Amino acid sequence: MRLTWKSSLGIGILAFSSLAGVGYWYVFKEGAPQLDPPPIVAQGSGMTFQTKSFYSASLKKNRPYGVILPPGYNDNPGQRYPVIFLLHGGHDDSRAWYDKYGIVPVLNDLYKAGKLPPSIIVSPDANDNRGSSPLFDPDYYDGPNGKINTLIASDLVKEIKSKYRTYDDPRLWAMGGLSSGGWGALNIGLRNTDKFCVLFSHLGYFTDDSGPANSPQAFIQNLPKSKLKCLRIYFDAGTSDFDTMGDNKRFAQTLGRLGVPHTFNAFPGGHGVTGPDYGWNYIHKHSYDSLTYVGQQFQKALQESGKK
């Protein structure tokens, strides 16, 4: 059948509308998911992801969080464990580290290799009162959109200590994240060095649009030496993320000048939705690097405290 220009135009409009609809779903509903995601299951690991909820006094509502207990947790009622908080990026939630970034296979490999002491893994839902959206990142601070700093560093810390067998030593508590979650881990962690001494960031940034009060690059320079003493920081940036690489390098220089022990890596890749060095695959791959660093700090603290 021969098409007239009107029918061709109609088909074109329909096709464009369909593509636009698919694009909207892909970005705004699904958060631009990875086209070639990493594995999320480690057979025989003995680890499962559990969704929990608790009442947050600061937000005056119930909030979810995820937890992954180490192998053998229920079989060793007298044993205490280090804790690692994992913060998500924009348009994500408490399940992202499990469902998307494949953290369980990473943990399984590191536990087996003895590079990370068995730990309690906690993944908060850190979305502020605006909810989750690709149009903005969560506000990882106490501000007009909610008290997210207090939610994580006070409310949720109390919840975890009351429900699980944790160490109290802040050297055995770590917090990290990716992208805005990497910024959040440093922004919250630097305010709470009495609770978290080990911090890490993947594809994060350290200068926030909200100003110097919530920019780790500026904030850390005003901390007293007593609060810097316990800090151990790991962070990495992707060489394709041109907009944040300079910020990461400046933060490394600042930490060096302040004498804060740290490791900074620049790796190929960065943010993206496909490829072995992009997006979720980047996080999955380099979680081995960050959590090996965390494991080194935990092992040192355990030895120094006589717990190992």
Side-chain angles (χ1 to χ4, degrees):
M1 181 177 67
R2 187 174 180 179
L3 298 176
T4 67
W5 72 269
K6 288 184 178 180
S7 59
S8 297
L9 179 60
I11 292 172
I13 292 173
L14 179 62
F16 177 81
S17 299
S18 298
L19 288 173
V22 170
Y24 178 88
W25 165 83
Y26 186 70
V27 174
F28 288 87
K29 296 297 184 182
E30 296 300 315
Q34 192 83 13
L35 297 176
D36 50 354
I40 67 170
V41 176
Q43 297 294 337
S45 69
M47 288 179 282
T48 59
F49 180 90
Q50 304 172 50
T51 298
K52 304 287 185 176
S53 66
F54 77 111
Y55 181 77
S56 166
S58 61
L59 298 183
K60 296 180 172 54
K61 64 175 73 173
N62 286 326
R63 290 297 297 246
Y65 66 92
V67 64
I68 303 171
L69 298 177
Y73 179 87
N74 293 323
D75 299 327
N76 298 283
Q79 184 173 345
R80 294 190 175 275
Y81 296 88
V83 179
I84 304 172
F85 275 35
L86 298 176
L87 306 187
H88 59 77
H91 205 26
D92 270 329
D93 57 27
S94 61
R95 296 192 60 91
W97 278 90
Y98 174 76
D99 286 341
K100 298 179 179 181
Y101 319 144
I103 193 61
V104 167
V106 176
L107 294 170
N108 186 54
D109 290 345
L110 293 179
Y111 290 160
K112 285 184 175 180
K115 293 183 177 181
L116 177 69
S119 302
I120 298 169
I121 310 301
V122 180
S123 55
D125 181 336
N127 287 301
D128 57 44
N129 292 333
R130 297 171 297 172
S132 175
S133 172
L135 299 178
F136 50 79
D137 289 336
D139 280 350
Y140 277 104
Y141 55 85
D142 288 355
N145 294 312
K147 296 181 178 180
I148 302 302
N149 170 68
T150 304
L151 165 71
I152 292 172
S154 180
D155 298 350
L156 188 53
V157 166
K158 290 176 183 176
E159 166 75 5
I160 298 304
K161 286 185 174 182
S162 71
K163 294 290 178 63
Y164 303 99
R165 300 191 306 275
T166 71
Y167 289 117
D168 287 329
D169 189 340
R171 296 177 301 167
L172 294 169
W173 284 66
M175 180 161 51
L178 78 150
S179 194
S180 59
W183 157 64
L186 271 295
N187 197 43
I188 294 174
L190 293 179
R191 286 170 162 75
N192 297 278
T193 56
D194 59 328
K195 296 169 183 171
F196 297 92
C197 282
V198 187
L199 308 175
F200 59 98
S201 166
H202 298 288
L203 303 179
Y205 50 90
F206 306 102
T207 303
D208 188 61
D209 291 341
S210 62
N214 293 299
S215 295
Q217 166 73 337
F219 186 85
I220 196 171
Q221 298 183 58
N222 295 316
L223 282 178
K225 289 184 178 180
S226 60
K227 291 187 178 294
L228 297 176
K229 187 176 180 181
C230 87
L231 286 173
R232 301 293 184 269
I233 299 175
Y234 169 96
F235 56 111
D236 60 51
T239 55
S240 296
D241 285 353
F242 305 111
D243 55 338
T244 57
M245 178 60 74
D247 193 40
N248 276 257
K249 289 180 176 179
R250 286 188 292 273
F251 191 59
Q253 292 170 353
T254 297
L255 294 180
R257 180 170 53 80
L258 295 174
V260 176
H262 66 281
T263 292
F264 168 57
N265 289 319
F267 292 121
H271 286 77
V273 296
T274 186
D277 294 317
Y278 290 88
W280 304 353
N281 289 326
Y282 179 103
I283 305 305
H284 178 81
K285 178 186 292 187
H286 297 302
S287 291
Y288 284 94
D289 300 288
S290 62
L291 294 182
T292 294
Y293 179 89
V294 170
Q296 292 169 348
Q297 311 314 313
F298 282 175
Q299 288 165 350
K300 183 178 180 181
L302 288 167
Q303 291 168 357
E304 290 176 350
S305 63
K307 295 183 175 69
K308 184 178 181 180

